[in-house]
Amino acid sequence: MLNLVTGATGHIGNVLVRRLLELGQRVRVFILPGEDRSALEGLEIEYAEGNVLDPESLAQAMVGVNMVYHLAGVITILPGKNDFVERVNVQGTRNVLAAARRAGVGRVIYTGSIHAFQRVPHGVLVDEAVPFDAEHAINAYDRSKALASMAVQEAVREGQDAVIACPTGVIGPHDYRLSEMGALIFDWIKTRTAMIIKGAYDFVDVRDVAEGLILAAARGRTGETYILSGQQIQVPDILKLVSDALGKPRKSICLPTGLARFFSHFAAFFSRLTHTTPRFTPYSIATLDGNSTISHAKAERELGFNPRPLRQTISDTVAWLLKNRKRFERAKE
């Protein structure tokens, strides 16, 4: 059994590779030429270099492959249109599907996003009955993931075997590139007083997402979508779990949502000038202020998906960040 994993150097990607190897499966990773491989260092895997926008390199990577896990993509929490994000996430997905079909690959597991779904008001349960919504997406990333998910559905209608898995907010160890939440938790580790805002979201352990993808490959029904969610939690409660994991209290300054939203517009503008990513943007605040009552009942029922408690996730994340603290501090120098 040979698995091809695109986006393997990312957070979910490298954890998925590790889990597949633990299960005794062969793994080939599809990465950009010259891409940093440190997240995969020491793993017994095959490398195929290329780009999801280059069909020829995809065709070469697909030779002999039985299963494709497509995770490669570009994430942004900044507002506004972004042609590059849409090109990689949408056309790249179409290219992966086409290459897999031509190579006779048995199944494609597409890692979508909870943000691809229509944003429904509080009081409405977010599950797989909620449609993908590109028309009303609040930023380029949401739109691109909705369009890519719909491209997978179209491929299924044309006879391809594919399954969509949509994680919520991902937290966990092996976060080598420091995701948005990983960077925020790392900031909280280094400071005694944290700046936070009110709001809640659903977060899931990266290891459970990797397991969910493998379960989707083995048990998922063709053409179906499965939400891989974890636990809804308030931002101050996440900080409390970080403090508990550290064994040291962390004070907090909680900005009112309206004030945070006002300043977030300036943060987004400043980030474009400095080429940095702000912790809070209009997008992230809208997410924390929106409906995050999300169900993974379908994945639990059909796949056997069973996410661990968030307290364990935060504890393991803090331990991993502390172990790798020098790596991230050197990267900022």
Side-chain angles (χ1 to χ4, degrees):
M1 178 74 170
L2 177 59
N3 303 276
L4 179 68
V5 179
T6 74
T9 60
H11 193 192
I12 301 174
N14 88 82
V15 175
L16 171 63
V17 169
R18 293 169 193 278
R19 182 58 182 148
L20 287 169
L21 292 175
E22 287 174 0
L23 294 172
Q25 298 192 28
R26 293 168 59 207
V27 178
R28 177 183 297 159
V29 300
F30 185 70
I31 63 173
L32 292 167
E35 187 173 357
D36 182 5
R37 302 183 181 188
S38 58
L40 304 170
E41 189 176 349
L43 302 182
E44 295 185 8
I45 54 179
E46 299 177 27
Y47 285 92
E49 290 192 343
N51 191 313
V52 293
L53 297 178
D54 176 16
E56 185 177 340
S57 66
L58 280 170
Q60 294 173 359
M62 295 281 178
V63 174
V65 169
N66 306 103
M67 183 80 67
V68 171
Y69 293 91
H70 177 42
L71 294 88
V74 180
I75 299 173
T76 180
I77 62 172
L78 294 175
K81 188 177 180 182
N82 190 316
D83 291 335
F84 178 68
V85 168
E86 188 159 320
R87 191 163 64 252
V88 171
N89 293 354
V90 183
Q91 188 57 49
T93 297
R94 291 195 181 107
N95 290 345
V96 168
L97 289 165
R101 185 167 57 249
R102 286 193 292 267
V105 173
R107 169 168 275 195
V108 176
I109 305 301
Y110 171 63
T111 301
S113 170
I114 196 66
H115 300 297
F117 292 93
Q118 184 179 87
R119 296 210 176 206
V120 295
H122 288 280
V124 178
L125 180 67
V126 180
D127 63 13
E128 293 83 356
V130 176
F132 295 125
D133 185 7
E135 185 178 352
H136 303 99
I138 66 172
N139 87 334
Y141 176 72
D142 290 20
R143 173 180 163 80
S144 71
K145 296 302 279 187
L147 289 171
S149 297
M150 289 187 279
V152 176
Q153 292 176 327
E154 181 181 355
V156 170
R157 288 193 293 270
E158 294 174 352
Q160 191 159 4
D161 184 357
V163 179
I164 302 171
C166 295
T168 53
V170 177
I171 305 178
H174 301 291
D175 192 359
Y176 289 91
R177 292 180 177 175
L178 279 188
S179 61
E180 298 301 326
M181 280 304 300
L184 184 61
I185 292 172
F186 189 58
D187 284 349
W188 288 349
I189 288 172
K190 295 185 297 179
T191 184
R192 293 185 178 181
T193 303
M195 185 74 70
I196 63 174
I197 63 172
K198 289 183 179 180
Y201 200 60
D202 185 292
F203 292 98
V204 62
D205 193 294
V206 66
R207 295 164 293 186
D208 294 326
V209 173
E211 192 69 30
L213 294 175
I214 295 170
L215 289 169
R219 305 177 186 176
R221 290 184 288 133
T222 299
E224 291 296 312
T225 298
Y226 297 94
I227 291 176
L228 306 180
S229 62
Q231 174 187 337
Q232 185 188 54
I233 185 171
Q234 297 284 333
V235 174
D237 293 332
I238 302 176
L239 179 60
K240 175 64 166 57
L241 290 179
V242 172
S243 297
D244 291 347
L246 288 168
K248 300 175 183 178
R250 285 293 183 271
K251 296 179 180 179
S252 64
I253 299 173
C254 190
L255 288 178
T257 304
L259 185 61
R261 186 179 292 110
F262 174 77
F263 282 115
S264 71
H265 293 283
F266 295 98
F269 174 75
F270 182 73
S271 72
R272 288 194 174 95
L273 294 179
T274 59
H275 303 288
T276 58
T277 301
R279 291 287 173 262
F280 296 108
T281 66
Y283 175 87
S284 59
I285 292 171
T287 299
L288 293 173
D289 197 36
N291 179 10
S292 57
T293 305
I294 303 169
S295 172
H296 59 257
K298 180 180 176 182
E300 183 177 1
R301 182 175 64 251
E302 297 190 15
L303 307 181
F305 179 68
N306 183 30
R308 71 200 72 195
L310 200 53
R311 175 175 288 276
Q312 179 184 343
T313 299
I314 296 294
S315 178
D316 292 348
T317 301
V318 169
W320 188 86
L321 288 170
L322 287 172
K323 183 179 178 180
N324 291 273
R325 182 170 185 163
K326 289 183 179 180
R327 168 198 295 270
F328 301 120
E329 288 176 341
R330 283 197 302 268
K332 288 188 176 183
E333 292 177 355

